Amino acid sequence: MDPRHNAQDVVRCDLCKENIVRNYCDFCHVSLCKPCIGEHISDDYHKHMIVPFQKRKSTLRFPICKIHSRETCKLQCNSCDVSLCVICSASHEHKEIDLIVLKNICNERGIEKDAEEIEKVIAPTYEEIRNELISQIANLDGDYEKITTVISDQGEKWHREVNRVINKMKNEIKEIREKQRDILKIHLTEIKQIEALIEGNLSALRELEDSNNVSIIVDYRPRIKEFWKLPAKVHVTLPLYSPKPINGEQFYKNVGPIKPLLSITDEDGYKIKSPEVSSRELLNIK
């Protein structure tokens, strides 16, 4: 059992391991009781950020100035992309019009909104696409078996001569089936790759949600627009076989030609899945 918890799951101090936690250092990510705060901040009072435990990870961690080590950078020069402390900004090396408040940048990133859209809308949409492709591939053998059966029935009527033609057509069907399988598998692989990117991005966003590191948050570049654009949907139709009355003079033609595999790309084939709305949210809308 974790020594920091008792039977009631009370969080204990990371330093003394005994007292109940009251505060939290947002810089070091350490839980503290009241008596241990002094010991924790004794090495460098200015760098620590002591907050109530309930507000942990709520304080933004601004980067330390590379020139003035005891100062934090709360501004950034938009022209040269350099973080600045108050002393640096007062040196007039950077134009005042180019200065941006880092806190405002963090607030404008929309990390929580992006994570919610990916989790509740985009990821479920790709899951549906993946399941649809898997289902199509799983049903291929059954669909093609039906066509093969019709061809076989026709072949029995024509005996040896017909069997030669029938075998030829079966091979055509087999080749078309494998082409269709390859097309769907390639598309499925593409969807899985995009899902992996989405899962990785969502994981990164979750880490950013719990992070108060300004440098990491500032470096975040949203990919939500990229994920919103769904890939083109691949439509593959089954070949058609239409048996005709037996006519020995037009053997191959009367057996019935097989239409070639038709694969088209529909840019608007997939639709974004509508987000699920709870009953409470519906009541609020009304």
Side-chain angles (χ1 to χ4, degrees):
M1 181 179 290
D2 191 332
R4 296 181 305 164
H5 298 69
N6 60 16
Q8 287 73 39
D9 201 30
V10 175
V11 182
R12 301 290 176 175
C13 176
D14 285 329
L15 267 62
C16 67
K17 312 295 184 183
E18 296 180 357
N19 295 328
I20 297 176
V21 163
R22 300 297 182 188
N23 295 87
Y24 189 85
C25 180
D26 255 357
F27 183 83
C28 303
H29 298 298
V30 173
S31 301
L32 301 166
C33 64
K34 287 288 185 181
C36 290
I37 293 178
E39 177 185 350
H40 180 69
I41 65 176
S42 61
D43 60 332
D44 188 346
Y45 174 80
H46 295 280
K47 77 174 183 180
H48 296 284
M49 302 175 186
I50 307 301
V51 297
F53 186 74
Q54 292 76 7
K55 296 182 178 181
R56 59 191 181 281
K57 298 184 180 181
S58 62
T59 305
L60 292 176
R61 288 179 58 188
F62 292 94
I64 302 299
C65 180
K66 295 180 179 179
I67 300 175
H68 311 98
S69 60
R70 298 185 67 83
E71 297 292 333
T72 57
C73 297
K74 297 186 177 182
L75 299 173
Q76 179 171 297
C77 179
N78 194 34
S79 297
C80 54
D81 201 26
V82 173
S83 299
L84 307 171
C85 69
V86 176
I87 300 176
C88 291
S89 63
S91 66
H92 302 296
E93 292 183 12
H94 304 269
K95 295 181 180 180
E96 185 175 350
I97 194 174
D98 291 333
L99 299 184
I100 303 175
V101 179
L102 288 175
K103 182 178 180 181
N104 293 342
I105 297 178
C106 294
N107 293 335
E108 294 170 359
R109 277 295 183 257
I111 292 174
E112 293 183 1
K113 182 177 180 295
D114 285 1
E116 182 177 6
E117 287 186 15
I118 289 177
E119 181 180 23
K120 295 184 177 180
V121 181
I122 296 178
T125 297
Y126 276 91
E127 182 181 3
E128 284 191 354
I129 294 173
R130 169 168 49 81
N131 291 335
E132 178 183 341
L133 289 169
I134 292 174
S135 177
Q136 288 183 41
I137 294 174
N139 293 330
L140 275 181
D141 289 339
D143 293 334
Y144 278 92
E145 183 62 30
K146 295 176 183 178
I147 299 173
T148 303
T149 300
V150 175
I151 295 174
S152 296
D153 292 341
Q154 187 76 342
E156 291 177 0
K157 299 175 184 179
W158 288 88
H159 302 292
R160 292 181 181 178
E161 185 179 5
V162 174
N163 286 338
R164 178 182 61 84
V165 177
I166 294 300
N167 289 332
K168 178 181 178 181
M169 297 178 70
K170 285 182 178 180
N171 289 333
E172 292 177 359
I173 287 294
K174 183 178 180 180
E175 290 177 2
I176 295 174
R177 180 190 64 193
E178 294 310 313
K179 289 180 180 179
Q180 182 171 353
R181 190 192 305 276
D182 290 342
I183 290 172
L184 292 174
K185 281 186 175 181
I186 289 173
H187 193 39
L188 176 61
T189 299
E190 294 172 349
I191 294 301
K192 287 182 176 180
Q193 289 174 346
I194 296 175
E195 282 189 305
L197 292 175
I198 291 174
E199 184 177 350
N201 191 253
L202 180 59
S203 178
L205 287 170
R206 288 303 185 199
E207 293 179 5
L208 285 176
E209 285 181 315
D210 294 333
S211 175
N212 56 6
N213 189 315
V214 171
S215 297
I216 296 177
I217 297 175
V218 170
D219 288 341
Y220 167 71
R221 296 295 180 269
R223 299 185 66 183
I224 192 73
K225 290 184 178 179
E226 175 185 345
F227 294 143
W228 267 109
K229 181 174 175 55
L230 298 179
K233 184 175 183 178
V234 175
H235 292 281
V236 184
T237 58
L238 293 173
L240 298 177
Y241 174 71
S242 302
K244 295 182 178 181
I246 297 175
N247 186 331
E249 295 179 359
Q250 297 180 338
F251 173 70
Y252 183 75
K253 181 178 180 179
N254 287 340
V255 169
I258 298 174
K259 291 186 177 181
L261 179 69
L262 178 61
S263 176
I264 61 175
T265 300
D266 186 356
E267 296 291 342
D268 298 320
Y270 293 122
K271 303 297 181 183
I272 286 290
K273 178 181 174 64
S274 300
E276 296 183 359
V277 182
S278 66
S279 57
R280 178 177 296 179
E281 289 174 328
L282 288 173
L283 291 174
N284 292 335
I285 293 175
K286 294 179 180 180

